[in-house]
C-alpha cells in the first residue's frame, strides 16, 4: 500500500456496514416473486459484473427498475440503522493527507449512496471525478480512473468485499484488496486471491 497513489473502493460492505440490511432488501425481492432467496455466500459466489445476472440465475424475471423499486423501499425503510465500519474516516483521511487519491466504485444507485456520503462526512474524501454509481462494469471504471489520473496500474489498488470485486480489479490489472469484516468466508477468494487481505481499516493504516 505504500506505493498506492490511487485507492478505489467499493461502498456497501466495504465502507458502509450495511450487509444485514442489503440482505433483507435482497430477500424482499425474492419473496415478492415467491422464490427462495439465496444465502449471502450463494449470491456473491454467482456474482459477475452485473447483479442482474444473479437474480436471473435464481429465477427472478422482473426488470431492473422493478427490482430496484422493491429493493429501494426495503433498504430506505431501515437505512437509519447502518453505520460505517470502524476506522473508515480516520484511515481514509490519513490516506488523503498523504496524497493518495480516493475513488468510489459501487453497484448501489447514487440516490442511496449520496445521502450517506453526506451523513457520514465522506463527501470531501472521495474525488468528484472518481465516483461511479450503479456501476455494472467496474473493470472499465478502474481503467477510466487510471487514464484520468494518468497513473501506472501498479500504483492503483481496488478494494471490495466480494469475489467479483477482486476478479474485476485483477482484470483491470491493478492491485486488489479484499475487506473481510465477517459476512463472507475467506475461502470464496481462493480461486482469485487478492494482493492484500484486510479485516479492519486499522490494518490498512498500519501499512502506510
Amino acid at each position: 500500500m505504500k506505493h498506492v497513489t490511487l485507492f478505489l473502493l467499493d461502498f456497501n460492505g466495504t465502507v458502509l456496514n450495511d450487509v444485514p440490511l442489503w440482505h433483507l432488501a435482497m430477500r424482499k425481492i425474492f419473496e415478492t416473486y415467491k422464490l427462495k432467496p439465496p444465502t449471502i455466500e450463494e449470491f456473491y459466489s454467482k456474482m459477475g459484473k452485473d447483479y442482474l445476472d444473479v437474480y436471473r440465475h435464481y429465477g427472478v424475471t422482473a426488470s431492473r427498475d422493478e427490482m430496484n423499486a422493491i429493493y429501494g423501499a426495503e433498504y430506505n425503510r431501515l437505512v437509519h440503522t447502518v453505520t460505517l465500519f470502524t476506522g473508515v474516516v480516520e484511515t481514509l483521511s490519513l490516506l488523503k493527507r498523504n496524497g493518495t487519491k480516493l475513488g468510489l466504485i459501487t453497484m448501489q444507485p447514487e440516490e442511496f449512496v449520496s445521502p450517506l456520503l453526506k451523513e457520514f462526512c465522506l463527501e470531501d474524501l472521495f474525488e468528484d471525478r472518481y465516483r461511479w454509481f450503479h456501476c455494472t462494469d467496474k473493470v472499465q471504471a478502474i481503467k477510466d480512473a487510471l487514464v484520468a489520473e494518468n497513473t501506472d496500474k501498479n500504483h492503483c489498488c481496488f478494494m471490495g468485499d466480494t469475489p467479483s470485486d477482486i476478479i474485476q480489479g485483477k482484470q483491470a490489472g491493478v492491485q486488489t484488496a479484499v475487506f473481510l469484516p465477517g459476512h463472507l468466508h475467506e475461502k470464496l477468494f481462493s480461486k482469485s486471491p487478492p494482493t492484500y487481505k484486510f479485516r479492519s481499516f486499522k490494518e490498512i493504516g498500519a501499512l502506510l
Side-chain angles (χ1 to χ4, degrees):
M1 292 291 289
K2 291 183 179 179
H3 301 294
V4 171
T5 59
L6 179 61
F7 191 31
L8 306 171
L9 299 93
D10 175 49
F11 189 62
N12 305 88
T14 302
V15 172
L16 189 70
N17 185 4
D18 70 339
V19 172
L21 177 52
W22 167 86
H23 192 212
L24 284 174
M26 178 269 284
R27 288 178 59 90
K28 188 68 173 180
I29 293 173
F30 284 91
E31 291 167 359
T32 298
Y33 297 106
K34 297 180 171 52
L35 294 168
K36 181 182 177 181
T39 65
I40 294 176
E41 291 202 348
E42 287 172 340
F43 188 97
Y44 282 124
S45 67
K46 297 294 183 184
M47 175 78 83
K49 286 185 177 180
D50 192 340
Y51 64 86
L52 186 63
D53 296 335
V54 184
Y55 288 98
R56 294 289 183 257
H57 176 83
Y58 285 105
V60 179
T61 59
S63 70
R64 191 187 300 273
D65 287 344
E66 289 172 324
M67 288 192 294
N68 284 345
I70 297 167
Y71 174 93
E74 186 68 6
Y75 191 91
N76 285 331
R77 186 175 67 86
L78 295 171
V79 70
H80 62 278
T81 65
V82 304
T83 62
L84 297 179
F85 285 106
T86 302
V88 166
V89 174
E90 295 84 355
T91 300
L92 296 185
S93 296
L94 179 58
L95 281 167
K96 186 165 185 176
R97 286 197 301 272
N98 287 347
T100 302
K101 299 291 180 64
L102 303 174
L104 196 64
I105 305 177
T106 175
M107 286 190 181
Q108 191 85 325
E110 184 175 2
E111 64 190 272
F112 301 143
V113 180
S114 290
L116 293 170
L117 292 178
K118 184 175 182 179
E119 177 181 347
F120 292 115
C121 302
L122 297 174
E123 284 185 309
D124 293 337
L125 293 177
F126 294 105
E127 302 287 323
D128 288 338
R129 60 177 176 166
Y130 301 142
R131 298 184 189 187
W132 286 266
F133 303 102
H134 213 184
C135 181
T136 57
D137 191 345
K138 295 183 178 182
V139 177
Q140 189 59 52
I142 294 169
K143 290 180 177 179
D144 289 345
L146 289 171
V147 171
E149 186 61 20
N150 192 27
T151 190
D152 186 88
K153 293 179 180 180
N154 294 323
H155 295 159
C156 176
C157 182
F158 176 54
M159 185 170 82
D161 65 309
T162 70
S164 174
D165 288 330
I166 304 308
I167 290 170
Q168 292 189 74
K170 295 177 84 168
Q171 288 174 346
V174 301
Q175 297 184 62
T176 55
V178 61
F179 185 59
L180 295 165
H183 54 268
L184 290 180
H185 197 283
E186 191 174 336
K187 67 182 180 183
L188 289 181
F189 301 87
S190 59
K191 291 183 179 180
S192 186
T195 314
Y196 306 100
K197 296 178 184 178
F198 298 118
R199 288 176 172 77
S200 72
F201 271 76
K202 289 182 179 180
E203 292 180 5
I204 300 172
L207 284 180
L208 295 176

